[in-house]
Amino acid sequence: MHQIIYALVTASTTDQALSRTADVFDQHYVTVDDDSTTVAGSAWWCDLPVAEPVDSEDGQELLERGWQVTTREFERNLERVREGVDDLDAAAIMRDEDLVRHACHNLGAYRGPVVYLYDEFADGVRHRERLEQLVGSNDHLWIVPADVHY
């Protein structure tokens, strides 16, 4: 499965932002400027900017996009857990019936397919206060979209 994730890094230029993103995402990712393949990068995501300062219009759009999918995934998993706890007994949850146990795992995840925003230390941005702290404390914050394959 391919999806777009975002790195929030301190940088002064696009090249520096891309370089710092390499430190954030260890493997299985391609930045959207990569045209060396037809199955990822610019071939799939040509409409996305390569990297943008967060305080720019395009940067704000990327940030909002990343936060929206983060929130959507959290709410989807939370609803699955709530329904499972209401409808299933402990043995059914332990068997992962209706993927309730998997949804519990997703709620607690710090990395992986349910985390869309990462800081420059490769920590997932899991709540709004952390996002606001990152954005509010850094005048040189850039956002870099990356195509990842989980």
Side-chain angles (χ1 to χ4, degrees):
M1 170 178 84
H2 285 265
Q3 70 184 52
I4 290 290
I5 57 178
Y6 305 87
L8 295 165
V9 296
T10 302
S12 300
T13 66
T14 299
D15 288 341
Q16 192 177 49
L18 289 169
S19 176
R20 295 239 166 103
T21 296
D23 296 334
V24 174
F25 302 132
D26 49 8
Q27 57 185 341
H28 306 297
Y29 84 94
V30 175
T31 53
V32 297
D33 65 328
D34 188 330
D35 59 5
S36 65
T37 179
T38 60
V39 296
S42 63
W44 280 34
W45 312 102
C46 61
D47 62 324
L48 291 175
V50 173
E52 290 291 329
V54 168
D55 61 1
S56 71
E57 187 175 328
D58 285 342
Q60 285 294 303
E61 287 178 23
L62 290 173
L63 190 65
E64 184 59 29
R65 189 175 182 173
W67 185 247
Q68 283 177 354
V69 291
T70 298
T71 303
R72 184 185 69 226
E73 281 298 306
F74 179 82
E75 289 173 354
R76 185 177 67 83
N77 282 292
L78 183 59
E79 184 59 26
R80 180 173 280 160
V81 168
R82 285 179 173 156
E83 287 175 2
V85 168
D86 288 345
D87 299 341
L88 302 171
D89 63 15
I93 293 172
M94 187 173 260
R95 284 190 310 273
D96 202 16
E97 193 172 310
D98 296 337
L99 297 175
V100 173
R101 195 169 185 176
H102 180 70
C104 290
H105 169 78
N106 287 341
L107 285 175
Y110 287 84
R111 296 183 62 102
V114 296
V115 180
Y116 290 83
L117 292 166
Y118 293 86
D119 67 17
E120 58 193 332
F121 305 105
D123 292 328
V125 178
R126 300 174 352 123
H127 56 86
R128 188 68 188 198
E129 291 80 10
R130 177 65 178 135
L131 180 61
E132 290 172 0
Q133 179 187 36
L134 285 168
V135 172
S137 67
N138 191 333
D139 293 335
H140 301 287
L141 193 65
W142 285 59
I143 186 165
V144 181
D147 178 348
V148 65
H149 184 210
Y150 287 110

